[in-house]
């Protein structure tokens, strides 16, 4: 990455700045977890933030709604547009993009964060669940990239450094990783392959396309409810590490920094930040747990 970019010390979550002043970011799955953290982080740097999520009413196991998250983003300093939509609904996404452009005049950053997780084995998983993950994890990011493309192209022409960033992992082909919930793996590796392909296709337009993934587990609803519960949370980092890494990526030069499948820890390390204890859920605690698809 460009060594002239801000170091992590200058992009802390408790600071505010102008790194994204006047730029518009669209973040999916923004009502909680990593998506919410990225939206808040971008707002703190002056971005207009459009947020897409389905959650309008509180859920007993999933705290927060699109409305509470939008309030947090606004408090961070951003101009926010919360949009209730299902990313599987083509018309809803088309209308959402139109509303964002009407409100803010364009789109400069697309963050494909919405995801669906189910590690049920191939023999047991129902095809409805399989199709759901393909729709949310692969098809929706692909469609949103297509819908945003005309606006990202205009952003590039205006010198506004357009980026697409998708939450998906490096392509670790170890059978132990690929075979751990293969239906889910197919969906997440599928969108990582799309990142590489779209980066190649969009490079001539000056649009960067990259993927970001946590090296360790992150304290999210998926970890709390599906991937280990409180013990896993204690061995996790907070979503802030992904938000800080995302900010560093989307402030990198779009014309050259593209086509990468990145780990959050590596992004921060490339900017000189190797003391990551402040991101831990339990500072100074025991060993951290590696995330899915990442070697321990």
């Amino acid at each position: 990455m460009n060594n002239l970019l801000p170091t992590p010390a200058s992009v802390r979550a408790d600071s505010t700045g102008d790194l994204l002043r006047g730029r518009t970011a669209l973040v999916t799955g923004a009502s909680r977890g990593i998506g919410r953290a990225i939206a808040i982080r971008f707002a703190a740097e002056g971005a207009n933030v459009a947020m897409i999520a389905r959650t309008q009413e509180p859920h007993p196991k999933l705290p927060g709604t699109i409305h509470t998250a939008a309030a947090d983003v606004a408090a961070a300093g951003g101009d926010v547009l919360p949009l209730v939509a299902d990313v599987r609904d083509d018309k809803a996404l088309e209308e959402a993009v139109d509303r964002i452009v009407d409100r803010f005049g364009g789109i400069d950053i697309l963050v494909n964060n919405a995801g669906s997780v189910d590690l049920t084995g191939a023999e047991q998983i129902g095809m409805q669940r399989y199709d759901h993950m393909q729709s949310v994890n692969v098809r929706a990011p692909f469609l949103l990239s297509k819908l945003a493309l005309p606006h990202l192209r205009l952003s590039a022409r205006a010198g506004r450094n357009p980026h697409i960033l998708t939450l998906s992992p490096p392509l670790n082909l170890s059978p132990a990783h690929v075979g751990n919930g293969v239906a889910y793996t197919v969906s997440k590796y599928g969108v990582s392959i799309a990142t590489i392909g779209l980066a190649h296709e969009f490079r001539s337009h000056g649009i960067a396309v990259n993927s970001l993934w946590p090296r360790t587990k992150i304290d999210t609803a998926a970890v709390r409810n599906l991937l280990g519960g409180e013990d896993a949370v204690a061995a996790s980092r907070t979503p802030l590490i992904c938000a800080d890494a995302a900010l560093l990526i989307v402030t990198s030069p779009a014309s050259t920094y593209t086509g990468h499948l990145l780990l959050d820890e590596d992004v921060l390390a490339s900017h000189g930040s190797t003391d990551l204890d402040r991101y831990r859920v339990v500072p100074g605690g025991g060993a951290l747990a590696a995330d899915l698809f990442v070697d321990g």
Side-chain angles (χ1 to χ4, degrees):
M1 298 179 74
N2 189 331
N3 289 330
L4 297 178
L5 294 174
T7 64
S10 68
V11 295
R12 293 177 62 95
D14 56 0
S15 69
T16 59
D18 296 308
L19 292 176
L20 299 178
R21 181 69 58 190
R23 296 173 69 195
T24 296
L26 165 57
V27 184
T28 68
S31 60
R32 60 180 64 91
I34 292 172
R36 172 181 172 275
I38 290 174
I40 292 172
R41 195 71 196 82
F42 286 8
E45 293 296 337
N48 305 316
V49 181
M51 309 167 63
I52 291 180
R54 290 192 306 166
T55 308
Q56 297 191 71
E57 301 295 334
H59 186 282
K61 292 186 177 181
L62 303 173
T65 68
I66 184 66
H67 306 297
T68 59
D72 295 336
V73 173
D79 190 356
V80 59
L81 176 62
L83 298 167
V84 178
D86 187 331
V87 296
R88 297 172 296 168
D89 185 330
D90 291 13
K91 184 177 180 181
L93 291 186
E94 292 169 4
E95 292 175 349
V97 168
D98 288 343
R99 287 186 61 188
I100 294 164
V101 174
D102 286 345
R103 170 74 173 271
F104 298 123
I107 297 173
D108 304 297
I109 301 166
L110 167 62
V111 179
N112 291 306
N113 169 73
S116 175
V117 182
D118 191 328
L119 299 182
T120 302
E123 182 178 4
Q124 293 82 23
I125 196 166
M127 292 311 295
Q128 185 175 1
R129 282 295 301 152
Y130 179 94
D131 291 341
H132 181 275
M133 283 193 289
Q134 305 308 310
S135 295
V136 174
N137 296 345
V138 187
R139 191 177 186 280
F142 188 87
L143 174 59
L144 270 173
S145 298
K146 283 171 58 69
L147 293 173
L149 177 59
H151 310 291
L152 295 171
R153 189 184 290 121
L154 290 173
S155 175
R157 291 172 183 166
R160 296 168 65 82
N161 201 39
H163 280 259
I164 297 173
L165 181 62
T166 298
L167 273 291
S168 69
L171 297 173
N172 187 337
L173 297 182
S174 164
H177 288 298
V178 176
N180 181 24
V182 66
Y184 178 65
T185 303
V186 167
S187 69
K188 296 306 288 186
Y189 280 23
V191 76
S192 292
I193 292 171
T195 287
I196 296 169
L198 292 174
H200 176 76
E201 183 174 341
F202 295 174
R203 182 186 292 269
S204 63
H205 301 302
I207 301 167
V209 187
N210 294 291
S211 282
L212 175 65
W213 194 249
R215 180 179 289 280
T216 68
K217 282 188 168 64
I218 301 295
D219 181 11
T220 62
V223 168
R224 289 180 176 273
N225 297 323
L226 299 172
L227 304 177
E230 292 301 323
D231 288 342
V233 169
S236 297
R237 289 178 171 139
T238 69
L240 176 57
I241 188 171
C242 294
D244 278 355
L247 179 61
L248 289 169
I249 293 168
V250 303
T251 51
S252 301
S255 60
T256 56
Y257 196 70
T258 187
H260 302 294
L261 307 177
L262 301 157
L263 293 175
D264 55 359
E265 190 175 297
D266 295 342
V267 172
L268 294 171
S270 71
H271 284 71
S273 181
T274 55
D275 182 4
L276 306 179
D277 194 59
R278 67 191 181 89
Y279 294 114
R280 297 181 64 127
V281 173
V282 181
L288 291 164
D291 201 6
L292 297 170
F293 313 118
V294 179
D295 294 328

